[in-house]
């Protein structure tokens, strides 16, 4: 179950990376770069977790921080 969740999460971040790499993306360039950087980290770190060399805590923290930020943004709009 953990491996499947990790793969799903990595797939999500891969989609986000592709989206922010597209020149037609309307997000500010700095934010696009930050999201792309996170996606790159998630991809690499997920491999470490799947190999048993790291715990999934950092990935959970990243996703939780993103969700909290999106909730705040939604509350303002």
């Amino acid at each position: 179950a953990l491996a499947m969740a990790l793969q799903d999460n990595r797939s999500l971040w891969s989609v986000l990376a592709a989206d922010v790499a597209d020149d037609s993306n309307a997000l500010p360039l700095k934010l696009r770069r930050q999201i792309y950087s996170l996606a790159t980290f998630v991809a690499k770190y997920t491999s470490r977790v799947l190999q048993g060399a790291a715990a999934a805590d950092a990935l959970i923290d990243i996703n939780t921080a993103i969700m909290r930020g999106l909730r705040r943004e939604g509350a303002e709009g």
Side-chain angles (χ1 to χ4, degrees), residues 10-75:
R10 182 165 38 190
S11 293
L12 168 66
W13 279 98
S14 179
V15 169
L16 292 172
D19 188 49
V20 297
D22 188 329
D23 288 335
S24 66
N25 187 297
L27 290 174
L29 184 57
K30 181 179 178 183
L31 178 57
R32 290 172 48 202
R33 287 180 177 160
Q34 290 169 332
I35 292 170
Y36 192 87
S37 177
L38 279 173
T40 301
F41 173 82
V42 167
K44 291 177 183 177
Y45 197 83
T46 297
S47 294
R48 292 186 61 216
V49 175
L50 288 168
Q51 294 168 0
D57 296 352
L59 300 173
I60 294 167
D61 291 345
I62 290 169
N63 288 355
T64 300
I66 295 295
M67 288 186 294
R68 284 183 181 146
L70 290 172
R71 277 193 216 120
R72 277 195 297 271
E73 181 69 25

